Amino acid sequence: MAELLANAFRRKGFRWDTQKARHLLNRAGFGIPPSAVTRLAALSPEEAVRSFLDYEKFPEPNAPPDWLPEALDFPTLRARTQGMTEEQRQQFRRERERANRDALLRLQRWWFDRICRTQRPLEEKMTLFWHSHFAVSAQKVRSARLNYQLNATLRRHATGSFRTLLKEVAKSPAMLEYLDNRQNVKGNPNENWAREFFELFTLGIGNYTEADIKEAARAFTGWTARGEQPVFVARRHDDGVKTIFGRTGRFTGDDVIELTLAQPACAEFICAKFWRFFAYEDPEPEVVRGLAETFRSSNYELKPVLQQMFSSQAFYSERAIATQIKSPVQYLAQLVVQLDLTLPERPPLVQFAMRAMGQELFHPPNVKGWDGGKRWINTSTLLVRQNFATYLVAGGRPDVIGNRRLGQGGGRHALLAAASSPEQRMEEGQSGNGVGTMMEEQIMTSDPSEARFVPAGQDAMLTDIPTQTLARALAQQGRGERRFPPPADARKVFRNLDGGTPEQIVQALAQHFLARSLDSQQVQVLTGLLAPQHLRSTPLKLTEVPLTNLQATLQALLCTAEYQLC
């Protein structure tokens, strides 16, 4: 424990450099903007970590939404529709449902824009973590305003007191609706919230009993909401004697939260989840125990744990650096910022792409949230990522992207050659997750000439094929044409690289876009896409390089396994 969680910055021989600064930017934030790497590397490592933790000194990136429809409870809804005919009531409800659907799409875009623009990356990264941890889906909680309220609660307490966060989430109207605590009343307790509170939010399976769940459900009776406000209804509350974790008393819901925080398993459960999200899967037991000790000794304040984690030797180890698969949100945010894109709101391409890749904001797949890690990638989601990157860089309708030739080489050959080989890039023994092997097998068994948007994703819904929705939206951009201008300006990406040799240009691109280096074979493939053989050692005037060559080089780079990692 002392070795893995020891402060890496005080270790003799530790070198703070651009690679470690990029690692911190990727994990404590979303890896954007790339220019932040240079700024972080110029700071001391202690100052760099504090720049993430003390984000309150930076301004908010955008204003709170003031366009969300009012959340109406049943009595208010009944009063609003009194005197209407049945047809008028149905029309009123349909209009409200449509307004909430439109507002939710706008809210997704609002959050994504905030992620892309924020100077407070840890705040948004932690909000995303809590969004999956305290999962509430708009598929059930359809009010855009209630979803935003919970989102704002997660952000407000993102790195503050876990105790306060628990109490606020437990009383949020969105959570009360999602886990049915509105129906939890004296004499007829509903156990949904109490069960998930123990199993998924605080302790994990095996650290409580069925009797604890039943008694806790009684303690949470009476917690409900009216419209947008949480309320406590005393007559619905069971104030009888209860026994929880071997202690007996007339416990309330707040008492259950305090009793739970007193369980040793609570700190370890949360800290293990932190480590998996920010560092790597399967954390060493001594790492979890050490973080949990800090968590308990700091009275469940979050910043001391995060500071210890971001300063630890294990966090900067080979097992951690550039071995994590980007979540769809991080992948898309990096694409948008690195390519300097402004995508249209109609059709909502970003939202469609998120869903097709398996992570739609405000729509976690279930109460367990997103699994993340290796589960972000399968044969379908990998092709969605590659096709979407191709659309951004090279344009073209999605049903012909796979057949287009890249510069001087076929798309299939460029993609396969630029992809990582398991032996050279991501050996299981080195990375601990076998990502390179998995992605190589998927690439090698997938024919880009058949690269359609196919159903996939951790949160694919039965009522819609998200990848087909994305494909239709991209096709709309072409207005029926087989070719149309891409959103990204490849020449703009290359603008500061004029005068370099093809290899120098490729290496500079890799340094800008990737968290790890390319091997010599990959560099050779990319330089071949950029310039013919007889110009390999010649400084290039990029205004004279065909646009298709620039697009092909950039496209192949973004389709490598390395670009999927952070």
Side-chain angles (χ1 to χ4, degrees):
M1 179 178 67
E3 179 65 22
L4 291 172
L5 281 182
N7 191 315
F9 310 149
R10 298 172 187 164
R11 186 184 66 188
K12 185 177 180 180
F14 177 84
R15 183 168 171 259
W16 179 250
D17 53 21
T18 56
Q19 183 193 44
K20 294 182 179 67
R22 185 186 298 273
H23 176 63
L24 181 63
L25 184 67
N26 275 325
R27 301 301 179 83
F30 295 88
I32 51 179
S35 59
V37 173
T38 302
R39 176 179 58 80
L40 289 171
L43 300 174
S44 71
E46 292 85 359
E47 290 172 331
V49 170
R50 293 307 313 179
S51 72
F52 282 92
L53 291 171
D54 298 336
Y55 54 74
E56 295 86 356
K57 62 186 178 183
F58 297 106
E60 294 271 357
N62 54 11
D66 57 3
W67 31 260
L68 297 170
E70 182 184 5
L72 302 179
D73 56 16
F74 182 73
T76 305
L77 185 62
R78 183 173 56 187
R80 294 275 180 93
T81 57
Q82 190 173 8
M84 293 184 181
T85 65
E86 182 57 32
E87 183 178 349
Q88 288 172 329
R89 289 192 189 97
Q90 290 180 3
Q91 179 64 21
F92 180 81
R93 292 189 183 99
R94 283 195 296 268
E95 289 175 357
R96 281 192 53 76
E97 289 172 0
R98 186 183 305 112
N100 271 296
R101 285 196 301 269
D102 290 345
L104 188 67
L105 278 174
R106 193 173 174 187
L107 186 61
Q108 289 173 325
R109 184 60 181 248
W110 174 89
W111 191 7
F112 183 75
D113 286 346
R114 186 180 178 102
I115 287 170
C116 291
R117 296 168 48 201
T118 186
Q119 297 181 62
R120 308 161 76 155
L122 181 60
E123 180 180 49
E124 297 309 313
K125 196 69 175 279
M126 284 296 294
T127 304
L128 186 62
F129 171 84
W130 293 125
H131 179 47
S132 180
H133 182 77
F134 294 115
V136 166
S137 173
Q139 194 170 16
K140 179 174 180 178
V141 181
R142 299 186 179 183
S143 166
R145 187 182 290 267
L146 295 189
N147 277 281
Y148 169 71
Q149 279 187 342
L150 178 57
N151 181 261
T153 296
L154 302 180
R155 182 174 294 105
R156 187 165 57 252
H157 303 292
T159 60
S161 165
F162 181 62
R163 170 181 280 103
T164 303
L165 177 62
L166 265 182
K167 292 180 179 180
E168 291 287 315
V169 169
K171 296 173 183 177
S172 71
M175 185 62 79
L176 289 166
E177 179 178 341
Y178 188 62
L179 289 180
D180 306 314
N181 211 70
R182 287 181 172 183
Q183 288 78 51
N184 187 17
V185 297
K186 179 180 180 179
N188 188 25
N190 185 302
E191 298 174 5
N192 284 2
W193 160 252
R195 183 175 301 279
E196 306 305 352
F197 176 79
F198 288 148
E199 179 180 332
L200 298 176
F201 300 161
T202 56
L203 296 176
I205 295 175
N207 296 300
Y208 55 89
T209 66
E210 282 295 310
D212 292 329
I213 292 173
K214 294 181 184 299
E215 297 289 81
R218 291 176 57 209
F220 283 114
T221 52
W223 288 28
T224 186
R226 292 197 180 111
E228 301 169 14
Q229 298 300 320
V231 295
F232 175 73
V233 182
R235 60 184 174 79
R236 291 184 169 190
H237 175 64
D238 182 344
D239 63 352
V241 173
K242 310 163 188 78
T243 300
I244 302 173
F245 303 132
R247 296 187 58 183
T248 301
R250 295 184 183 274
F251 297 131
T252 65
D254 284 325
D255 293 328
V256 173
I257 291 174
E258 293 298 333
L259 290 169
T260 303
L261 291 172
Q263 304 304 303
C266 182
E268 295 196 2
F269 178 75
I270 298 299
C271 289
K273 202 163 183 179
F274 280 162
W275 193 266
R276 289 193 296 269
F277 183 81
F278 285 104
Y280 49 76
E281 297 185 26
D282 300 319
E284 296 85 351
E286 56 267 33
V287 166
V288 174
R289 286 195 297 270
L291 292 175
E293 183 179 335
T294 299
F295 204 16
R296 286 189 291 266
S297 65
S298 64
N299 197 25
Y300 283 94
E301 290 291 323
L302 292 160
K303 279 192 179 181
V305 177
L306 295 170
Q307 181 169 13
Q308 183 180 27
M309 180 166 55
F310 295 147
S311 304
S312 69
Q313 292 189 26
F315 184 75
Y316 296 97
S317 67
E318 289 186 4
R319 189 178 177 193
I321 293 179
T323 60
Q324 187 180 78
I325 297 176
K326 295 174 187 174
S327 70
V329 169
Q330 180 152 344
Y331 173 81
L332 287 167
Q334 287 188 343
L335 275 177
V336 166
V337 174
Q338 290 173 337
L339 296 176
D340 194 19
L341 299 176
T342 301
L343 295 178
E345 292 191 24
R346 296 289 181 179
L349 297 180
V350 168
Q351 292 95 316
F352 289 161
M354 282 183 192
R355 179 187 284 192
M357 294 175 192
Q359 187 181 35
E360 184 180 12
L361 295 176
F362 299 102
H363 279 280
N366 49 53
V367 70
K368 204 177 123 186
W370 292 283
D371 291 328
K374 291 184 290 184
R375 275 71 65 186
W376 290 131
I377 294 291
N378 58 44
T379 52
S380 296
T381 56
L382 179 60
L383 286 175
V384 170
R385 289 183 180 219
Q386 293 170 340
N387 279 354
F388 194 65
T390 296
Y391 153 72
L392 295 177
V393 171
R397 279 178 47 181
D399 58 350
V400 299
I401 283 173
N403 288 322
R404 293 188 57 195
R405 294 182 66 80
L406 302 177
Q408 300 162 353
R412 175 176 177 79
H413 299 294
L415 183 63
L416 294 179
S420 296
S421 70
E423 296 79 13
Q424 294 171 324
R425 308 306 308 148
M426 290 287 293
E427 296 183 63
E428 291 192 22
Q430 175 184 351
S431 68
N433 57 20
V435 173
T437 302
M438 176 180 64
M439 295 186 70
E440 175 75 359
E441 290 173 352
Q442 290 169 354
I443 292 170
M444 293 299 292
T445 56
S446 302
D447 185 350
S449 68
E450 298 298 324
R452 306 299 198 269
F453 286 91
V454 292
Q458 295 188 42
D459 63 342
M461 297 182 182
L462 297 178
T463 56
D464 181 32
I465 304 299
T467 45
Q468 290 183 1
T469 303
L470 175 60
R472 286 195 298 270
L474 296 183
Q476 277 182 29
Q477 300 297 294
R479 297 180 178 86
E481 303 288 336
R482 289 184 65 83
R483 294 285 296 277
F484 61 95
D489 182 351
R491 290 203 182 278
K492 191 174 180 182
V493 175
F494 282 81
R495 64 187 170 187
N496 295 322
L497 304 177
D498 199 49
T501 66
E503 181 172 343
Q504 289 172 337
I505 292 171
V506 166
Q507 294 285 15
L509 284 175
Q511 186 175 13
H512 179 79
F513 283 98
L514 307 179
R516 60 190 306 156
S517 301
L518 297 172
D519 63 31
S520 58
Q521 181 186 6
Q522 291 172 305
V523 172
Q524 183 178 4
V525 169
L526 292 171
T527 55
L529 293 172
L530 183 60
Q533 178 70 37
H534 68 277
L535 295 178
R536 296 289 174 87
S537 58
T538 303
L540 294 182
K541 189 173 180 60
L542 289 173
T543 54
E544 298 176 358
V545 176
L547 177 61
T548 54
N549 288 48
L550 301 180
Q551 291 174 333
T553 305
L554 186 55
Q555 176 188 348
L557 181 72
L558 298 179
C559 287
T560 59
E562 281 74 9
Y563 192 70
Q564 315 309 316
L565 301 175
C566 65

